Amino acid sequence: MAIAATETETPAARAFGPAAALSCRECGERYDLAPRFACEFCFGPLEVAYEFGAVTREEIERGPNNIWRYAGLLPVPDNVAELPNMDPGLTPLVRADRLAAELGMRSLHVKDDSANPTHSFKDRVVAMAVEAARTFGFRTLSCSSTGNLAGAVGAASARAGFRSCVFIPAGLEEGKIVMAAVYGGQVVAIDGNYDEVNRFCSELIGDPAGQDWGFVNVNLRPYYAEGSKTLAYEIAEQLGWRLPEQIIVPIASGSQLTKIDKGFGELIRLGLVEDRPYKVFGAQATGCSPVAAAYEQGHDVVQPVKPDTIAKSLAIGNPADGPYVIDVCRRTGGAVAHVDDAAVVDSIGLLARTEGVFAETAGGVTTGVLRKLLDEGALDPRAETVVLNTGDGLKTLNAVESGVTATIKPSLEVFKEAGLL
Amino acid sequence: MAIAATETETPAARAFGPAAALSCRECGERYDLAPRFACEFCFGPLEVAYEFGAVTREEIERGPNNIWRYAGLLPVPDNVAELPNMDPGLTPLVRADRLAAELGMRSLHVKDDSANPTHSFKDRVVAMAVEAARTFGFRTLSCSSTGNLAGAVGAASARAGFRSCVFIPAGLEEGKIVMAAVYGGQVVAIDGNYDEVNRFCSELIGDPAGQDWGFVNVNLRPYYAEGSKTLAYEIAEQLGWRLPEQIIVPIASGSQLTKIDKGFGELIRLGLVEDRPYKVFGAQATGCSPVAAAYEQGHDVVQPVKPDTIAKSLAIGNPADGPYVIDVCRRTGGAVAHVDDAAVVDSIGLLARTEGVFAETAGGVTTGVLRKLLDEGALDPRAETVVLNTGDGLKTLNAVESGVTATIKPSLEVFKEAGLL
């Protein structure tokens, strides 16, 4: 299923900045930078390998107020900031003093990625895929999506001048469907869950019909996935060039969590932050918790499940990076945990009423796991902690039962009688 | 109806930074900085008057990545960046080359305020009101709202630790209602339109029951309104410390437009930008276009109307700043124009498919007016132009008819037969 790539198709090195090659995460085999995602020898996933030049805090701080300030750490063209793209990132790291007080914590921040252009962290990864697609000469962008990605691909395709055709499971939230379609691309709903959509896309990309499409999370996946590193860079910079001691990350495919760990490691090796321990915690919804289950059972292999949860953006029953997630959480001394849908809804409310952050269900999952692991003593309430909100409550309105307190006639008397003062 | 304020209630000067007094926009009478909004002599609206110190581009550029980088130009405490607030602003100024090409323009930018924390420009004005309320010792924040403001007040109250009670017209979009309520404050729907909600709030604030409430857009209005100046500052800074030649601003109460003009004027007087002409254009929906009507008829007085438009965030039939809007547009050589709901919907789609910006109806109004005034020759297609998107399409989903292209079984054959390639 790997895409054929010859030497002549490989673009000039600086089209990918400091990226030097693709390398297999399993066997280490190296490949030229091409639209290729699986090792020809062991079928392991490919990821971007770098030869970093000198990168300083000062250069980064002088850069644009978006992810391109980290261009020297990403597989993107040197002039990326000048090219049409959604320019996501540098989202707020909210000092969550009121939530911390309610949970008995000393220092808590919420990294709020709902501030991205299409209001989810997916803008980060799609921005990378757009640059790779441009370099490789693709004209159509595509993806399988649980919703947020479809919107991000639609918007970025519009901005950057690509045709788009995205695939979603039927039955997504209305906000996500409208947002996927409003940018004018094709939106194809597949009768089935995300894993079936994903299988369909794998078929399509193996077919001549899909050969010249850039599937952001399939044949462009190695580039795409690197976008999640920017979450790590931003958190460290926003903490004053310091790593948090604990971080809670949602798990869908698991890629985000592993790339945040990769990003922290790069910052340490480049001398941009002090080398000190950090613990990575993974969060799943109980209704789709295959990684948490494997972690709890001490397994390395993740058994696929059929998702049944309101946290649809995390509803990937067969997460590609599950084993790597378990590696990271074990190695750093973190954990993987899950919370049920009731806790998700409750935690969305908690985050909203203490910090004014309206999270989508995925943010309810991370906040719920934060509470659970504090209760269980697995999280240290005195350690500097960051919890991720990767999406926007406006896209999952049905998850919260929230409405007007009362409807009244425009009369002061009626208002006073209603006991609303 | 003016709130009584004695000398002893007036806070220390630096609690309001460079603000020196309130002054009446009609008769010039000056007042101490207090929760006061109307002149005792002529009933004219009060606004903040300043005594600016030296402010340099370099100081601003070194500031935080939000509106507090302009604290030296705003009525806020010197240490405002340290206080709990939503920290909105520094939203993207999107270089809209594809939209410009479609409209035959040389240089067009979209100032996209959907990137603010609650996804509308209202976070800017509420952030100011929060600081004033804190200084004045109010414990409850309130407002009359067409929807976006309610969400902004709810979120900011949660973050900053205020109780909140907001008033909205019944029949708002679902996204706006949920977003107003999710932060845990009271949301009271009033049977009637926005102007009736507004009258109700004026009654309430004159009643002992409302005396110790901070109504962000009533007794805190002079402070609140100054937040819109930050749009002007950001646009100028993001253009490389240069004023645009043309700007298209939506009109609800009209306050935003007049404050953008005020902000541009301040930048010129402080020597932060070159003094060159700029034209301000006001945009309304035909179904609520009292300012456009007065402008077209050459009147100074705005006749109230009963709103009937899908652009609910602009549906203020009796806009308080209408006459000042007409002043600004005439003085700068701009205009006030309106477009019907069909053009609003069409323009939302145009902006989405060319630039990947999903605007709420208000953004459809400004983009629609941009197109109309270009067609009529009232806008110069060669002049550097900025169009404002002040809200988020996710809050007005019903306005766009956008859905999946097709729903299919997960089969390549079915996909190919559906003619979707």
Side-chain angles (χ1 to χ4, degrees):
Chain A
M1 207 190 301
I3 300 292
T6 67
E7 285 297 318
T8 54
E9 281 172 357
T10 308
R14 293 311 294 182
F16 289 101
L22 297 181
S23 81
C24 175
R25 200 140 56 160
E26 290 298 325
C27 74
E29 180 71 20
R30 282 168 80 96
Y31 297 86
D32 288 331
L33 293 162
R36 183 193 277 271
F37 60 101
C39 180
E40 286 180 7
F41 299 96
C42 74
F43 305 107
L46 302 184
E47 69 173 344
V48 175
Y50 298 91
E51 285 169 15
F52 292 124
V55 178
T56 68
R57 294 179 183 178
E58 292 68 28
E59 278 168 8
I60 290 170
E61 289 167 357
R62 275 198 303 271
N65 288 323
N66 54 52
I67 58 170
W68 305 132
R69 66 203 278 114
Y70 309 108
L73 303 169
L74 298 170
V76 293
D78 296 330
N79 66 334
V80 64
E82 303 305 313
L83 303 173
N85 201 316
M86 296 300 287
D87 305 337
L90 221 62
T91 56
L93 185 73
V94 177
R95 203 175 73 192
D97 289 348
R98 284 165 45 83
L99 179 56
E102 188 138 340
L103 300 178
M105 300 183 76
R106 193 182 60 79
S107 167
L108 177 64
H109 286 83
V110 179
K111 179 63 174 172
D112 186 10
D113 246 17
S114 68
N116 276 319
T118 69
H119 307 325
S120 88
F121 97 97
K122 291 292 186 183
D123 290 319
R124 298 177 183 273
V125 285
V126 171
M128 316 296 298
V130 161
E131 296 308 325
R134 186 155 30 212
T135 298
F136 293 133
F138 290 121
R139 304 290 297 276
T140 299
L141 288 183
S142 185
C143 66
S144 53
S145 170
T146 58
N148 281 325
L149 181 55
V153 167
S157 298
R159 175 86 53 93
F162 290 85
R163 178 176 173 267
S164 72
C165 179
V166 301
F167 299 92
I168 57 174
L172 275 191
E173 301 95 339
E174 189 202 0
K176 288 182 181 169
I177 293 176
V178 172
M179 201 159 192
V182 73
Y183 305 104
Q186 284 190 337
V187 180
V188 179
I190 301 280
D191 265 334
N193 62 26
Y194 175 77
D195 298 287
E196 286 166 283
V197 179
N198 218 7
R199 271 195 297 277
F200 170 84
C201 287
S202 295
E203 257 191 88
L204 178 53
I205 205 168
D207 189 272
Q211 283 289 313
D212 58 348
W213 286 20
F215 282 81
V216 302
N217 55 347
V218 189
N219 56 347
L220 298 174
R221 189 173 186 85
Y223 310 92
Y224 162 94
E226 295 295 288
S228 289
K229 293 196 309 176
T230 61
L231 276 164
Y233 303 151
E234 291 182 14
I235 289 167
E237 181 180 353
Q238 289 171 319
L239 285 177
W241 294 107
R242 192 171 68 236
L243 300 186
E245 295 174 273
Q246 303 177 136
I247 184 167
I248 297 97
V249 183
I251 302 172
S253 75
S255 168
Q256 182 183 70
L257 186 146
T258 65
K259 295 300 179 179
I260 287 175
D261 174 62
K262 185 180 183 184
F264 284 162
E266 288 171 349
L267 293 180
I268 292 171
R269 278 193 300 285
L270 288 164
L272 290 166
V273 298
E274 193 190 331
D275 184 1
R276 69 172 197 184
Y278 59 87
K279 296 182 181 183
V280 180
F281 297 83
Q284 295 201 295
T286 304
C288 182
S289 51
V291 185
Y295 175 86
E296 282 167 9
Q297 293 154 17
H299 294 167
D300 292 328
V301 176
V302 174
Q303 292 292 337
V305 301
K306 206 176 159 78
D308 178 19
T309 168
I310 56 167
K312 294 188 184 177
S313 63
L314 304 182
I316 299 183
N318 188 15
D321 289 280
Y324 302 112
V325 165
I326 294 174
D327 279 354
V328 168
C329 293
R330 283 195 188 131
R331 171 170 51 75
T332 63
V336 185
H338 60 90
V339 286
D340 64 23
D341 286 357
V344 171
V345 172
D346 193 58
S347 297
I348 291 173
L350 175 66
L351 191 54
R353 75 178 157 75
T354 54
E355 296 299 338
V357 171
F358 184 21
E360 77 149 272
T361 45
V365 169
T366 50
T367 305
V369 163
L370 168 70
R371 298 163 84 179
K372 183 181 181 182
L373 292 179
L374 281 168
D375 286 348
E376 292 176 355
L379 270 167
D380 180 356
R382 293 156 308 172
E384 187 162 61
T385 304
V386 172
V387 62
L388 260 58
N389 172 40
T390 51
D392 199 294
L394 277 175
K395 295 197 206 176
T396 58
L397 286 178
N398 293 343
V400 293
E401 285 176 25
S402 171
V404 298
T405 315
T407 302
I408 62 168
K409 300 268 170 222
S411 143
L412 212 49
E413 241 114 292
V414 173
F415 178 61
K416 288 178 178 176
E417 281 166 14
L420 296 166
L421 272 166
Chain B
M1 207 191 301
I3 301 292
T6 67
E7 284 298 316
T8 54
E9 282 171 356
T10 308
R14 293 309 294 181
F16 289 101
L22 297 181
S23 82
C24 175
R25 199 140 57 159
E26 290 298 326
C27 75
E29 180 72 21
R30 282 168 81 96
Y31 297 86
D32 287 330
L33 293 162
R36 182 194 278 272
F37 60 101
C39 180
E40 287 182 4
F41 299 96
C42 74
F43 304 107
L46 302 184
E47 70 173 342
V48 175
Y50 297 92
E51 285 170 14
F52 291 124
V55 178
T56 67
R57 293 179 183 178
E58 292 68 30
E59 278 168 8
I60 291 171
E61 288 166 357
R62 274 198 303 271
N65 289 323
N66 55 51
I67 58 170
W68 306 133
R69 67 204 277 114
Y70 309 107
L73 303 170
L74 297 170
V76 293
D78 296 332
N79 66 334
V80 64
E82 303 305 313
L83 303 173
N85 201 315
M86 297 300 286
D87 305 337
L90 221 62
T91 55
L93 185 72
V94 177
R95 203 175 72 191
D97 290 348
R98 283 165 44 84
L99 179 56
E102 188 138 339
L103 300 178
M105 299 183 76
R106 193 182 60 79
S107 166
L108 177 65
H109 287 82
V110 179
K111 179 64 173 171
D112 185 11
D113 246 18
S114 68
N116 276 318
T118 69
H119 307 325
S120 88
F121 98 97
K122 292 291 186 184
D123 290 318
R124 298 177 183 272
V125 285
V126 171
M128 317 297 298
V130 162
E131 296 307 325
R134 186 154 31 212
T135 297
F136 292 132
F138 290 120
R139 304 290 296 276
T140 299
L141 288 183
S142 185
C143 65
S144 53
S145 171
T146 58
N148 281 325
L149 181 56
V153 167
S157 298
R159 175 86 54 94
F162 290 86
R163 178 176 172 268
S164 71
C165 180
V166 301
F167 299 92
I168 58 173
L172 274 191
E173 300 95 340
E174 188 202 1
K176 288 182 181 169
I177 293 175
V178 172
M179 199 158 194
V182 74
Y183 305 104
Q186 284 190 335
V187 180
V188 179
I190 301 281
D191 265 333
N193 62 27
Y194 174 77
D195 298 288
E196 287 167 284
V197 178
N198 216 9
R199 271 195 298 276
F200 170 84
C201 287
S202 294
E203 258 191 88
L204 177 54
I205 205 167
D207 189 273
Q211 284 288 312
D212 59 347
W213 286 20
F215 282 80
V216 302
N217 54 348
V218 188
N219 57 347
L220 298 174
R221 190 171 185 85
Y223 311 93
Y224 162 93
E226 295 296 287
S228 290
K229 293 195 309 176
T230 60
L231 277 164
Y233 303 152
E234 291 182 15
I235 289 167
E237 182 180 353
Q238 290 171 318
L239 285 176
W241 294 107
R242 193 172 66 236
L243 301 186
E245 295 174 274
Q246 304 177 136
I247 184 167
I248 296 99
V249 183
I251 301 170
S253 75
S255 169
Q256 181 184 71
L257 186 146
T258 65
K259 294 300 179 179
I260 287 175
D261 175 60
K262 185 180 183 184
F264 284 162
E266 289 171 349
L267 294 179
I268 291 172
R269 278 192 300 285
L270 288 163
L272 291 166
V273 298
E274 194 190 332
D275 184 0
R276 68 172 198 183
Y278 59 88
K279 295 182 181 182
V280 181
F281 297 82
Q284 295 202 295
T286 303
C288 183
S289 51
V291 185
Y295 175 84
E296 283 168 8
Q297 292 154 16
H299 293 167
D300 292 329
V301 176
V302 174
Q303 292 293 338
V305 301
K306 206 176 161 77
D308 179 18
T309 168
I310 56 168
K312 293 187 185 177
S313 63
L314 304 183
I316 299 184
N318 188 15
D321 288 281
Y324 303 112
V325 165
I326 294 174
D327 279 355
V328 169
C329 293
R330 282 195 189 131
R331 172 170 51 74
T332 63
V336 185
H338 60 90
V339 285
D340 64 23
D341 286 359
V344 171
V345 172
D346 194 58
S347 297
I348 290 173
L350 175 66
L351 191 55
R353 74 178 159 76
T354 54
E355 296 300 337
V357 171
F358 183 22
E360 76 148 273
T361 44
V365 170
T366 49
T367 305
V369 163
L370 168 69
R371 299 163 84 179
K372 183 182 181 180
L373 293 178
L374 281 169
D375 286 347
E376 292 176 355
L379 270 166
D380 179 357
R382 293 155 309 173
E384 187 162 60
T385 304
V386 172
V387 61
L388 260 59
N389 173 40
T390 51
D392 199 295
L394 277 174
K395 296 197 204 174
T396 58
L397 286 179
N398 293 343
V400 292
E401 286 177 25
S402 170
V404 298
T405 314
T407 301
I408 62 169
K409 300 266 170 227
S411 142
L412 211 50
E413 239 116 293
V414 173
F415 178 61
K416 288 178 178 176
E417 281 164 15
L420 296 166
L421 273 166

